[in-house]
């Protein structure tokens, strides 16, 4: 049986709302310096228990299969277990994301009794870095202990890591620690320059860091796969480099990114009932309405703030993304990331393919903050792209990068969502009807045939080895 959050082709084609992420309260007992929502105090006018239970019913009617409770810190709402119970009773799975501070055994038992299915614990680096980022000394050890407590109550666990600049050098050692702690799922995502992270922009990766990060994540994926740890990239990590299928497809190499799922298969809910297509998106630009004023189904189906990703085409893209080889499939990548950086969707400098293409011409992009964030939840500073040589010398400062017009670009007359296949010469995704790979210049059909021959030979060798071992043991 597939996980309830698994997206089928029908889910994607019909824009079915599968996963809701609900900020139950903005109240928080941490002081994270990279918090996009600037959590701390609860919002004015947060939903009452009665209103929250009504919203649970609307989510079920809409067809949502999983609801993830986030904060702030969700348990700081005294009725959190009642809401968990309502979600589960309505036929949906309920999961939780927590910072782990004061997540006592009694609270976990309460959540387990209400039907909580799984819990993710945030760990953003090794001990000193994690405690510094989260603003609480000793929190790293608490997080590891909390994982054990959840498992002790039969609740499946995972770890979520925000990748900041100082965290990159710690990811390898952190993966070893998670393996030894018997963690099974590890989701990693880039820290976006939103909220307090925009105030602390030294934490944010530069786009060219992906040239080192993506091979590292591929290495950690392979290491984890041998030890029972599944590394899963968040939707703002990518896209379309040689590790796309390995990472995003969990080893199924034909799988690839299919565009932003905000408002397509994901719903974001703020604690006061404001609805967005993704919980991370800026409120002022992407709030589609409030469930106190408009039924959830109407917000989902009718508001452009939620349906924007369903209507995206190449014509909505700009900068490099407008003429990218993958424009009709990727459609500019993660809206949260591009909007947080540039204040506008459709041009995302945090892209592995983009970094690789620029590197071919001895170029790279950096983002530079030119104005601070105003200090509101989900706000953003103003950043601009600076084009540089690969060693950091400025070329065209503060000008958006434009992809070179070449045979690599998909013709605008093509189907809006062309099918992709995998080149077995370089592990890059290419147009299904391509004869020659635009990245390694290899003959795609011949490379595929050669791969199949090698695969079949490897399978025959495996069978012979298994038979030989059986014979020795008999």
């Amino acid at each position: 049986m597939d996980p309830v959050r698994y997206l089928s082709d029908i889910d994607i084609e019909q824009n079915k709302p599968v996963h809701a992420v609900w900020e139950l309260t903005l109240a928080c007992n941490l002081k994270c310096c990279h918090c996009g929502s600037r959590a701390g105090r609860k919002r004015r006018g947060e939903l009452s228990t009665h209103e929250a239970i009504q919203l649970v019913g609307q989510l079920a009617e809409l067809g949502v299969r999983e609801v993830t409770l986030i904060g702030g810190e969700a348990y700081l709402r005294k009725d959190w277990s009642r809401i968990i119970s309502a979600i589960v009773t309505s036929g949906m799975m309920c999961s939780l994301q927590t910072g782990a501070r004061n997540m006592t055994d009694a609270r976990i038992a309460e959540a387990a009794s209400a039907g909580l299915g799984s819990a993710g614990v945030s760990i953003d680096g090794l001990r000193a870095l994690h405690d510094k980022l989260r603003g609480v000394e000793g929190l790293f050890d608490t997080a590891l202990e909390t994982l054990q407590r959840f498992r002790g109550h039969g609740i499946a666990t995972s770890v979520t890591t925000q990748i900041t600049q100082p965290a990159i050098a710690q990811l390898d050692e952190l993966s070893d620690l998670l393996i030894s702690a018997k963690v099974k799922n590890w989701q990693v995502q880039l820290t976006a320059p939103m909220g307090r992270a925009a105030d602390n922009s030294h934490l944010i990766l530069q786009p060219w860091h992906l040239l080192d990060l993506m091979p590292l994540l591929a290495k950690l994926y392979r290491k984890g796969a041998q030890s029972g740890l599944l590394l899963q990239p968040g939707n703002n990590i990518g896209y379309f480099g040689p590790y796309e299928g390995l990472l995003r497809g969990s080893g199924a190499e034909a799988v690839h990114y299919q565009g932003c799922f905000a408002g397509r298969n994901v719903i974001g809910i703020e604690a006061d009932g404001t609805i967005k297509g993704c919980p991370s998106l800026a409120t002022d630009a992407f709030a589609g309405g409030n469930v106190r004023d408009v039924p959830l189904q109407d917000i989902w189906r009718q508001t452009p703030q939620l349906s924007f990703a369903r209507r995206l085409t190449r014509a909505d893209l700009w900068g490099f993304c407008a003429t990218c080889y993958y424009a009709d499939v990727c459609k500019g990548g993660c809206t949260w990331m591009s909007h947080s950086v540039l204040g506008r969707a459709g041009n995302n400098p945090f892209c592995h393919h983009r970094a690789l293409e620029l590197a071919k011409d001895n170029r790279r992009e950096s983002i530079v903050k030119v104005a601070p964030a105003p200090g509101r939840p989900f706000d953003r500073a103003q950043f601009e792209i600076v084009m540089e040589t690969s060693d950091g010398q400025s070329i065209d400062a503060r000008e958006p990068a434009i992809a070179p017009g070449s045979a690599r670009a998909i013709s605008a007359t093509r189907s809006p969502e062309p099918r992709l296949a995998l080149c077995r010469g370089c592990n890059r995704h290419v147009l299904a009807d391509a004869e020659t790979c635009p990245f390694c210049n290899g003959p795609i059909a011949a490379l595929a045939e050669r791969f199949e021959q090698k695969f079949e030979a490897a399978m025959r060798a495996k069978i012979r080895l298994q038979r030989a071992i059986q014979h020795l043991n008999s």
Side-chain angles (χ1 to χ4, degrees):
M1 180 180 295
D2 292 323
V4 295
R5 204 187 300 178
Y6 171 82
L7 296 178
S8 68
D9 290 340
I10 293 176
D11 292 330
I12 295 172
E13 291 168 4
Q14 298 183 3
N15 300 308
K16 291 187 175 182
V18 170
H19 184 208
V21 183
W22 187 349
E23 172 203 277
L24 211 55
T25 178
L26 201 57
C28 192
N29 52 14
L30 300 180
K31 304 172 184 177
C32 304
C33 62
H34 56 347
C35 179
S37 63
R38 299 184 184 272
R41 297 180 179 179
K42 71 176 186 178
R43 292 182 186 273
R44 291 182 179 180
E46 292 189 353
L47 296 176
S48 67
T49 302
H50 176 69
E51 290 171 324
I53 300 301
Q54 285 186 319
L55 178 53
V56 169
Q58 292 188 62
L59 289 167
E61 289 175 3
L62 198 57
V64 169
R65 300 199 292 262
E66 179 177 352
V67 180
T68 298
L69 303 181
I70 63 171
E73 185 64 65
Y75 77 75
L76 293 179
R77 269 193 71 127
K78 294 181 180 179
D79 58 359
W80 74 304
S81 61
R82 286 188 60 187
I83 296 171
I84 292 173
S85 179
I87 291 168
V88 175
T89 302
S90 297
M92 298 176 287
M93 178 181 174
C94 185
S95 55
L96 173 75
Q97 184 66 35
T98 178
R101 188 181 187 188
N102 294 331
M103 183 59 77
T104 63
D105 195 70
R107 288 193 170 107
I108 295 174
E110 180 184 358
S113 179
L116 184 70
S118 63
V121 175
S122 297
I123 300 180
D124 294 333
L126 300 177
R127 182 176 287 102
L129 176 61
H130 178 76
D131 290 357
K132 181 178 180 180
L133 290 172
R134 296 276 165 175
V136 176
E137 188 175 352
L139 188 63
F140 178 84
D141 295 321
T142 297
L144 292 177
E145 293 165 3
T146 301
L147 287 168
Q148 299 294 337
R149 283 198 290 267
F150 274 120
R151 286 201 288 267
H153 285 274
I155 296 173
T157 60
S158 62
V159 166
T160 300
T161 297
Q162 292 265 355
I163 300 179
T164 56
Q165 281 202 40
I168 293 178
Q170 300 186 5
L171 293 177
D172 200 345
E173 188 175 348
L174 180 59
S175 72
D176 291 335
L177 188 148
L178 298 181
I179 290 169
S180 66
K182 302 188 185 308
V183 173
K184 299 302 181 185
N185 293 81
W186 183 24
Q187 179 173 307
V188 296
Q189 65 179 35
L190 304 183
T191 298
M194 171 179 273
R196 293 192 200 115
D199 300 340
N200 297 287
S201 55
H202 63 282
L203 298 173
I204 307 302
L205 273 63
Q206 289 295 345
W208 47 270
H209 283 136
L210 295 178
L211 295 173
D212 295 323
L213 176 65
M214 299 308 291
L216 172 61
L217 293 181
K219 169 192 168 184
L220 298 182
Y221 175 89
R222 294 186 179 104
K223 180 172 70 173
Q226 296 175 350
S227 305
L229 174 66
L230 176 62
L231 185 149
Q232 299 169 296
N235 288 325
N236 71 348
I237 293 183
Y239 308 92
F240 291 108
Y243 314 110
E244 173 72 12
L246 177 73
L247 294 171
R248 203 168 303 281
S250 297
E253 295 178 318
V255 174
H256 58 78
Y257 184 73
Q258 298 184 60
C260 179
F261 287 114
R264 293 170 62 198
N265 304 108
V266 176
I267 304 174
I269 306 168
E270 294 185 354
D272 63 359
T274 299
I275 304 299
K276 303 181 292 187
C278 166
S280 301
L281 291 173
T283 308
D284 56 358
F286 294 98
N290 192 293
V291 291
R292 285 177 168 140
D293 307 316
V294 183
L296 179 62
Q297 290 204 27
D298 292 345
I299 297 174
W300 174 262
R301 291 171 179 166
Q302 299 175 11
T303 59
Q305 292 88 345
L306 266 74
S307 63
F308 72 93
R310 305 170 211 168
R311 299 176 282 103
L312 278 177
T313 68
R314 177 190 290 272
D316 299 301
L317 309 183
W318 58 287
F320 186 105
C321 291
T323 55
C324 176
Y325 184 86
Y326 300 106
D328 293 316
V329 179
C330 178
K331 299 175 183 175
C334 174
T335 302
W336 170 41
M337 201 68 180
S338 54
H339 186 270
S340 296
V341 175
L342 299 173
R344 177 182 169 192
N347 184 26
N348 186 352
F350 286 89
C351 167
H352 192 209
H353 165 72
R354 179 167 171 163
L356 289 167
E357 291 295 288
L358 292 172
K360 289 178 181 178
D361 298 324
N362 192 37
R363 295 187 298 163
R364 73 183 195 187
E365 292 172 319
S366 290
I367 60 170
V368 176
K369 184 163 71 173
V370 296
R376 300 187 302 268
F378 297 102
D379 62 354
R380 56 173 295 273
Q382 294 182 30
F383 291 84
E384 292 181 347
I385 296 175
V386 173
M387 184 65 72
E388 302 171 333
T389 61
S390 293
D391 59 0
Q393 301 298 311
S394 178
I395 301 174
D396 295 314
R398 295 171 187 170
E399 288 291 329
I402 304 297
S406 68
R408 296 172 185 164
I410 298 175
S411 167
T413 60
R414 284 190 178 273
S415 168
E417 295 188 13
R419 291 190 308 109
L420 300 181
L422 195 68
C423 170
R424 290 298 182 179
C426 61
N427 286 328
R428 301 289 296 271
H429 288 83
V430 298
L431 291 170
D433 59 359
E435 296 180 358
T436 302
C437 177
F439 306 112
C440 70
N441 294 318
I444 293 173
L447 288 168
E449 183 178 359
R450 192 180 309 161
F451 174 84
E452 290 298 326
Q453 292 172 349
K454 289 182 177 179
F455 181 80
E456 290 174 3
M459 292 302 296
R460 289 194 295 269
K462 178 182 177 181
I463 292 171
R464 288 195 299 270
L465 179 60
Q466 289 174 336
R467 288 174 178 171
I469 293 172
Q470 290 173 354
H471 178 73
L472 290 173
N473 292 332
S474 61

